[in-house]
Amino acid sequence: MSRAPLGRSGVEITRIGLGSAPLGGLFTPVSEADAEATIARAWDLGVRYFDTAPLYGFGSAERRMGAVLRDKPRDSFVLSSKVGRLLRRRDRPPREDRLYKDTPEERPVFDYSYDGVMRSVDESLGRLGLDRIDILYIHDPDNHHDEAIDGAFRALDRLRSDGSVRAIGAGMNQHEMLARFAQEAPFDCFLLAGRYSLLDQGALHGLFDICGAKGIGVVLGGVFNSGILAAPHPGATFDYREADAALIARAQRLDAICRAHRADLKSAAIQFALAHPAVSGIVLGARTAGEIEQNLGVARQAVPAAVWQQIRRESLIDAKAPLPGDPV
């Protein structure tokens, strides 16, 4: 699998990585055996970048990732996790979570303080059973900007300075705060979910320009916008909620264009995301070995130039968005 540098961080990642939110039971429970088989199959298919977080399955995704990666040569892969949430038990048994199913009883508690981040890293390493994490992202600090800069960033900067971590960044579902972070502190990379896809090019004007100028690497998550670009039917989800009729209609039009040229919408979604020069790679979630095989298979399928020409002709994407095959 091809690799790319993550900005100027000195870290190199495979252009497709494995995201582990589904392995933590996002929407549907996933067995230990299926989760570990998925990670192992991704490895067999050449994936060497793996992303996880305490939030995903409230610790179970990190444990499952570590169970497989502990047996691999440590310098042969890149692992990222996140800070900003500590997992803690409550006085009474918790209700089932809206998103994550069949989880441990711990629940996330926001903590972007310096000490909280240091505890979070130690606890993640314990769940993973590994001696280091390569990339640490501040996770979704939407309502915690000041704490993220004054506390979390200082902690991550310390870990980067002493060599405990190779790169530091922030992972969010919005591009505006990431653009602000890029101007405020020396971050190495960002993980942006859902804001650069065939349905949403919000990051195109602002964030990507800043990252390009500063050498900040960008990894994209959510290139299927949580489902709608994988299966654009009524009831499909966009940003983890049921999509409105206009979005479904637009996704269905994209799908129709792909089908008319015997291409796959998922192939187009992946290749569109990777075509921007600011993007080092993407992470794709999967819950079974068959699903990661399918995702990596469609990533390699050709998308005819006629698809991109028609998408542009019908103004279904921002006119300034680069398309596969455009001059760099």
Side-chain angles (χ1 to χ4, degrees):
M1 186 177 294
S2 63
R3 299 173 183 249
L6 189 56
R8 297 175 189 159
S9 67
V11 178
E12 188 177 74
I13 61 171
T14 49
R15 296 217 74 198
I16 298 178
L18 178 67
S20 62
L23 299 179
L26 180 64
F27 300 132
T28 305
V30 176
S31 70
E32 298 279 342
D34 280 345
E36 293 181 16
T38 303
I39 300 163
R41 188 60 182 142
W43 181 277
D44 291 342
L45 293 169
V47 173
R48 294 295 183 271
Y49 173 44
F50 301 87
D51 177 68
T52 190
L55 175 65
Y56 303 158
F58 308 149
S60 59
E62 285 186 319
R63 292 189 187 93
R64 291 166 171 184
M65 196 72 84
V68 177
L69 295 181
R70 282 196 296 273
D71 294 331
K72 309 299 183 187
R74 184 60 191 87
D75 292 335
S76 65
F77 63 90
V78 173
L79 174 68
S80 58
S81 192
K82 305 180 182 74
V83 300
R85 289 175 174 89
L86 296 171
L87 300 179
R88 296 293 181 262
R89 283 182 177 265
R90 298 182 178 176
D91 293 337
R92 61 183 63 181
R95 297 177 181 176
E96 182 178 73
D97 188 71
R98 182 178 71 85
L99 295 178
Y100 290 98
K101 309 304 178 185
D102 194 20
T103 65
E105 289 194 359
E106 290 88 352
R107 288 294 181 266
V109 177
F110 287 109
D111 192 335
Y112 295 94
S113 70
Y114 183 99
D115 290 341
V117 166
M118 289 300 193
R119 284 194 296 272
S120 177
V121 175
D122 284 343
E123 291 171 11
S124 286
L125 289 170
R127 287 187 290 267
L128 288 160
L130 295 168
D131 62 354
R132 74 173 191 269
I133 298 166
D134 299 290
I135 304 166
L136 284 170
Y137 298 110
I138 304 171
H139 200 182
D140 290 336
D142 300 81
N143 300 314
H144 304 271
H145 169 271
D146 292 348
E147 300 99 311
I149 290 293
D150 297 338
F153 173 78
R154 286 195 308 111
L156 296 187
D157 190 38
R158 164 72 182 276
L159 293 170
R160 178 176 59 183
S161 296
D162 68 22
S164 298
V165 64
R166 299 171 64 193
I168 63 174
M172 302 188 73
N173 292 279
Q174 59 149 301
H175 59 90
E176 295 89 350
M177 190 176 288
L178 293 182
R180 187 176 172 187
F181 283 156
Q183 302 284 26
E184 293 174 327
F187 285 98
D188 298 305
C189 51
F190 294 133
L191 174 53
L192 175 67
R195 300 288 73 82
Y196 192 73
S197 71
L198 282 173
L199 288 177
D200 187 329
Q201 294 96 55
L204 187 61
H205 304 284
L207 177 63
F208 281 5
D209 291 337
I210 297 168
C211 288
K214 290 180 171 288
I216 298 172
V218 177
V219 178
L220 295 178
V223 299
F224 303 142
N225 284 121
S226 79
I228 188 171
L229 286 171
H233 53 73
T237 54
F238 177 87
D239 283 359
Y240 310 105
R241 297 184 183 278
E242 187 170 329
D244 64 33
L247 272 175
I248 291 171
R250 189 168 155 217
Q252 289 177 332
R253 180 59 191 150
L254 290 164
D255 188 39
I257 292 170
C258 289
R259 289 176 181 273
H261 296 281
R262 298 187 178 183
D264 190 299
L265 178 59
K266 289 172 71 175
S267 303
I270 291 168
Q271 293 171 33
F272 173 79
L274 288 170
H276 197 287
V279 175
S280 299
I282 65 173
V283 290
L284 297 177
R287 61 185 70 249
T288 65
E291 190 174 348
I292 192 62
E293 281 184 4
Q294 181 190 50
N295 285 343
L296 293 176
V298 297
R300 293 189 293 267
Q301 289 178 13
V303 178
V307 169
W308 306 118
Q309 292 164 2
Q310 188 166 352
I311 286 173
R312 180 165 276 164
R313 187 165 58 248
E314 295 189 20
S315 300
L316 291 169
I317 59 168
D318 190 299
K320 293 188 177 180
L323 294 174
D326 285 353
V328 177

